[in-house]
Amino acid sequence: MRMDGTYFKQFCLISYQDHHSNYTQLIRFSDEERYEEIKEDLQNLLRLGLKIESMTVDGQKGTLRAIREVLTETKIQRCLVHIQRQSLIWLTNSPKHTSAKELRKIVLLISKISTHNDKIAWLRQFKQWEIAHKSYYQQKSFNSETDRYWYTHKLLRRTFIYIKSAIPNMFHFLDDEAIPKTTNGIEGFFSHLKNHLDIHRGLTTEHRKNFIKWYIYFSNEK
C-alpha cells in the first residue's frame, strides 16, 4: 500500500491506495497530515480486514510514528523520490562548497537504485562522503543572538542526517517486487484529480470535497 497527502487551498486530502490495483481504500480531509488522524485511519483499515504488508510513504514524522504503533509487522518503505527531492531543495541547485557538491551527486543517484549492487555501491559512496566531510558538516559557530554555539552548515548537516535516518527503510523494494519504491502512482492520481477539479473552480469547499469523493468512487469502479 502507498499513502500520501496533497494540499488544496482549503484542505489537505490524505489517501491510502493499493499499489497493484490503484484502488483507493480510504481518504481523509484535514488541514495537514496529523499523527492522531493517520493512526485512526490505519486502525480503521485493519478493522476493514485489510492485511497491510508494506506502506510506501514520504517520511513525515507523524506518519512514521503512526505506522510503527499500529502496523507493527508492516514494512515501511520510504519514497525514494521524496528523499531525493527534499535533499536537493536543501542542497540547492548550485552548492558552493565541495562537500555539498559531492553530496548532491550522491543524492541524484538515489532514484536510480534498482539492484542490490546499486544499493551497495551507493551506500559505499555515502559512507565515504560521511568520513571525508564529517569535520566540516559538524562545524559549530557562536551565535550572539542565542548566546550559544550551533552548527555552521545547517542545511548540509540536515540533509546528511535526513538521508542517514532514512537508510533502514529505503531498500525493502529490492527484496520484494510488490513493494513500490516511490509514491509516484498516487501523486499521478492526485495530479489527474486536480486537473479535473480545476475545470470547476467556482465550487464551494463542500462541493469540492463531494466532487473528490465522486471522482474517487468512479476511479475505483474502473
Side-chain angles (χ1 to χ4, degrees):
M1 180 173 286
R2 58 200 182 203
M3 172 261 181
D4 202 3
T6 189
Y7 287 83
F8 299 83
K9 288 184 179 180
Q10 303 92 339
F11 52 82
C12 170
L13 170 66
I14 301 170
S15 181
Y16 304 80
Q17 280 190 355
D18 179 85
H19 168 58
H20 302 288
S21 65
N22 295 323
Y23 189 93
T24 301
Q25 303 284 0
L26 186 70
I27 63 167
R28 176 186 286 273
F29 295 104
S30 185
D31 55 346
E32 61 179 345
E33 297 176 53
R34 298 182 178 277
Y35 153 74
E36 296 84 0
E37 294 178 341
I38 293 172
K39 181 177 180 179
E40 182 181 45
D41 291 343
L42 296 176
Q43 290 170 335
N44 287 333
L45 286 170
L46 292 181
R47 291 190 187 100
L48 290 171
L50 294 181
K51 182 179 180 182
I52 305 173
E53 296 183 350
S54 72
M55 286 284 290
T56 300
V57 295
D58 63 7
Q60 193 260 1
K61 289 183 179 180
T63 300
L64 296 176
R65 179 185 170 193
I67 295 173
R68 289 179 181 130
E69 290 184 9
V70 179
L71 307 176
T72 56
E73 302 298 321
T74 297
K75 292 179 181 177
I76 301 174
Q77 170 66 48
R78 292 288 298 274
C79 173
L80 299 192
V81 169
H82 274 87
I83 295 172
Q84 185 177 76
R85 184 187 301 154
Q86 183 59 66
S87 297
L88 291 175
I89 289 173
W90 287 333
L91 292 172
T92 73
N93 289 329
S94 302
K96 296 180 180 179
H97 194 268
T98 301
S99 61
K101 290 179 181 179
E102 291 181 1
L103 184 56
R104 191 175 189 278
K105 290 179 181 178
I106 295 171
V107 167
L108 287 171
L109 296 174
I110 291 176
S111 61
K112 298 179 181 179
I113 297 171
S114 58
T115 67
H116 282 285
N117 285 337
D118 292 340
K119 168 190 171 181
I120 293 169
W122 184 86
L123 287 173
R124 185 184 299 117
Q125 289 186 61
F126 186 73
K127 185 62 178 179
Q128 289 172 345
W129 183 94
E130 178 184 4
I131 295 171
H133 300 287
K134 187 173 183 178
S135 60
Y136 182 76
Y137 70 74
Q138 287 191 333
Q139 284 181 10
K140 290 186 177 182
S141 303
F142 183 75
N143 189 320
S144 58
E145 294 182 2
T146 60
D147 196 32
R148 66 171 183 168
Y149 284 89
W150 194 242
Y151 294 100
T152 307
H153 313 289
K154 294 184 287 293
L155 291 179
L156 180 66
R157 179 177 177 273
R158 182 186 297 177
T159 304
F160 165 73
I161 292 176
Y162 176 70
I163 297 172
K164 189 168 185 177
S165 64
I167 285 175
N169 292 313
M170 282 177 62
F171 305 111
H172 293 304
F173 73 94
L174 293 176
D175 298 313
D176 186 348
E177 62 181 13
I179 298 176
K181 67 178 181 178
T182 74
T183 59
N184 283 358
I186 198 168
E187 288 189 13
F189 175 80
F190 285 152
S191 178
H192 287 118
L193 167 60
K194 288 183 176 181
N195 287 338
H196 283 83
L197 194 55
D198 282 345
I199 300 173
H200 308 280
R201 295 179 182 177
L203 295 177
T204 65
T205 298
E206 195 59 34
H207 285 158
R208 286 171 71 85
K209 290 181 178 180
N210 287 333
F211 179 96
I212 291 171
K213 291 176 185 177
W214 279 111
Y215 183 87
I216 292 174
Y217 171 79
F218 285 116
S219 295
N220 281 348
E221 289 297 303
K222 290 180 180 179

